[in-house]
Amino acid sequence: YTSANYGVTWTLQSSAPTNASWQSVASSSSGSQLLAVQNGGGIYTSANYGATWSLQTGVPTNASWQSVVVTYNGARMYAAQSSGGFYASTNNGASWVFLANAPNNIQSVTVSSDGSKLALVENGNGNLVYTSSDFGINWIQQTNSVGGYCCVASSADGSRLLAVQYGGSIYTSSNFGSSWIQKTNAGLASWCAVSSSSDGGKLVVVDNVNGPYASANYGNSWSQGKVAI
């Protein structure tokens, strides 16, 4: 489903498979370029706000796709598998390349607005954070991160990162993941989703039991509810 009025009404996109196990979806800033993946299926893209969809055949079409991200203008797209690898496109999804140096098992991925800075959470091996500053060509394991993460989000320039643990804490970084601060004011919870504003100051995290929590000051304090991203 897609919405053009801030979620007030929704339209079923019947040109995409309706009986699929959709795992993750991402959008360009304008909403025209869309990327969606199936768990145990393929990658689909749309260039017209979801009116029509295309299965991308240059990548595995029966894979454990886990997380996707799209850059500001929609030109660069990234799709990660929970077991099998990481792929990138520089032409709105028309063709894809395998990012050989990235971890093969990925839980969550985030990207800067221009696509150059990426961060991901590895699926297994401590669920640590890895970062790249060259469009995913090379990666650094951020050993100063505690690990055990399930989700990650970033500011538009990629410098500020937000990572959460499922059944644990919230952590933030202001230096591309080199160091991390535990945000204890939100407590321990079953965090399962995260989002960040473009400057990294406004943050939203979702507890699987109690719903969303929001911060308007870089994670220094939190309140249950919502904040405009």
Side-chain angles (χ1 to χ4, degrees):
Y1 288 78
T2 60
S3 174
N5 55 5
Y6 305 99
V8 176
T9 60
W10 293 83
T11 302
L12 173 64
Q13 299 302 332
S14 56
S15 64
T18 56
N19 59 345
S21 299
W22 297 110
Q23 180 69 25
S24 181
V25 64
S27 168
S28 64
S29 177
S30 68
S32 60
Q33 304 289 330
L34 301 174
L35 171 64
V37 291
Q38 301 170 326
N39 184 5
I43 295 177
Y44 287 79
T45 59
S46 173
N48 53 11
Y49 303 92
T52 59
W53 292 82
S54 300
L55 173 65
Q56 301 303 320
T57 58
V59 286
T61 56
N62 186 20
S64 55
W65 299 110
Q66 176 70 22
S67 181
V68 296
V69 287
V70 175
T71 55
Y72 182 86
N73 63 2
R76 289 183 178 270
M77 298 180 169
Y78 297 90
Q81 298 177 30
S82 60
S83 58
F86 198 15
Y87 290 78
S89 172
T90 60
N91 52 12
N92 305 94
S95 61
W96 295 80
V97 295
F98 177 67
L99 298 175
N101 293 328
N104 286 330
N105 306 319
I106 299 170
Q107 179 71 21
S108 176
V109 63
T110 188
V111 68
S112 61
S113 60
D114 67 351
S116 63
K117 309 291 193 305
L118 295 108
L120 63 81
V121 172
E122 188 177 24
N123 184 30
N125 296 321
N127 281 50
L128 294 174
V129 171
Y130 288 72
T131 59
S132 172
S133 59
D134 57 4
F135 300 94
I137 303 302
N138 297 290
W139 293 83
I140 297 173
Q141 185 188 72
Q142 298 298 343
T143 56
N144 289 327
S145 64
V146 175
Y149 302 118
C150 61
C151 298
V152 63
S154 74
S155 58
D157 66 358
S159 63
R160 291 187 174 272
L161 299 174
L162 166 67
V164 297
Q165 301 167 323
Y166 190 83
S169 295
I170 299 171
Y171 290 82
T172 62
S173 172
S174 60
N175 52 13
F176 300 95
S178 295
S179 60
W180 295 81
I181 298 175
Q182 183 181 13
K183 300 299 182 180
T184 57
N185 287 338
L188 304 179
S190 299
W191 307 117
C192 59
V194 296
S195 183
S196 170
S197 62
S198 59
D199 66 354
K202 296 178 179 179
L203 306 172
V204 175
V205 296
V206 179
D207 174 19
N208 196 38
V209 177
N210 297 310
Y213 287 74
S215 173
N217 55 8
Y218 300 93
N220 293 319
S221 61
W222 296 84
S223 60
Q224 190 172 6
K226 60 184 179 180
V227 64
I229 291 294

